[in-house]
Amino acid sequence: EPEVTQTPSHQVTQMGQEVILRCVPISNHLYFYWYRQILGQKVEFLVSFYNNEISEKSEIFDDQFSVERPDGSNFTLKIRSTKLEDSAMYFCASRGQVTGELFFGEGSRLTVL
Amino acid sequence: EDQVTQSPEALRLQEGESSSLNCSYTVSGLRGLFWYRQDPGKGPEFLFTLYSAGEEKEKERLKATLTKKESFLHITAPKPEDSATYLCAVQAGAGGSYIPTFGRGTSLIVHP
């Protein structure tokens, strides 16, 4: 069964460092998303991406964040100058053309020290 | 402004004890309501999509229903392996964001 894959599963970084989280969406999907979940809190939308550009972003997605689809399969989230409050689980998701349900990866746990 | 409210926050059941989880929503023009299951440290796993009031979907011991204001996830004769957090998400239609917005979830524990 097709699935969304994310790497790394866990990353520990020092405050102020840059991190890149990687995702391989389901191959025939066209819409891509990043969500995050701080421990014990709800899943929050960060950004959506379609046709090689950002289609929507939340207030959380400020200039510290960027997304890219560098080739035909990968979708990345870059966080510049990480802060302690960026510690969370980051989920990548994708969906197809017709239905609205998102399919999520297993997540990348980011710990900022 | 909460668009999606789930209740209860936590639920403990004995194996075989049926119950229901609630998701109430306030969006302009519902495009879709989604139920997900999330195991600890994992990503949300898609269960159901409901599009219009009166619609029902079933999968094994789970049954999801939808009205104009809320959705229920009914769990019949649950087993310990049904223990997880169940998330509800709504997608607004015309005039609203198409981005699914999640509730805080209901943490379900089923004791053997």
Side-chain angles (χ1 to χ4, degrees), chain B residues 18 30 33 47 64-65 69-70 73 75 79 81 84 86 93 99:
Chain B
S18 302
L30 182 72
L33 185 142
L47 293 173
T65 62
K69 294 183 179 180
E70 58 192 351
L73 184 66
I75 304 177
K79 298 182 178 181
E81 53 262 42
Y86 290 85
I99 302 300

Side-chain angles (χ1 to χ4, degrees), chain B residues 28-68:
Chain B
S28 57
L30 182 72
R31 184 177 176 89
L33 185 142
F34 313 102
W35 282 99
Y36 288 85
R37 169 190 171 127
Q38 186 177 29
D39 291 303
K42 303 290 185 181
E45 175 189 347
F46 171 71
L47 293 173
F48 303 110
T49 306
L50 301 166
Y51 293 105
S52 56
E55 190 175 0
E56 298 183 352
K57 294 273 180 74
E58 276 189 78
K59 180 180 179 180
E60 297 181 355
R61 295 177 292 282
L62 301 177
K63 179 180 176 180
T65 62
L66 181 65
T67 72
K68 288 186 178 180

Side-chain angles (χ1 to χ4, degrees), chain A residues 22-95:
Chain A
R22 293 181 169 80
C23 169
V24 178
I26 294 173
S27 61
N28 61 346
H29 283 185
L30 300 176
Y31 300 84
F32 313 118
Y33 304 79
W34 284 101
Y35 281 76
R36 79 173 184 189
Q37 187 175 33
I38 295 171
L39 189 63
Q41 298 188 23
K42 68 177 183 178
V43 177
E44 300 176 289
F45 168 71
L46 292 178
V47 66
S48 61
F49 194 86
Y50 171 71
N51 200 25
N52 285 321
E53 61 182 24
I54 291 173
S55 49
E56 195 164 343
K57 59 183 181 179
S58 71
E59 292 178 351
I60 303 169
F61 194 88
D62 59 21
D63 292 343
Q64 180 194 11
F65 294 90
S66 63
V67 289
E68 193 177 37
R69 188 159 163 81
D71 53 42
S73 59
N74 290 285
F75 179 49
T76 63
L77 174 69
K78 181 188 290 186
I79 310 174
R80 286 181 284 274
S81 189
T82 49
K83 307 170 193 170
L84 296 176
E85 54 265 38
D86 294 328
S87 294
M89 196 75 153
Y90 289 82
F91 294 110
C92 174
S94 67
R95 74 171 175 92

Side-chain angles (χ1 to χ4, degrees), chain B residues 10-36:
Chain B
L11 182 62
R12 292 178 179 269
L13 299 173
Q14 288 297 127
E15 185 172 2
E17 180 186 1
S18 302
S19 188
S20 297
L21 313 182
N22 177 265
C23 172
S24 61
Y25 62 91
T26 53
V27 293
S28 57
L30 182 72
R31 184 177 176 89
L33 185 142
F34 313 102
W35 282 99
Y36 288 85

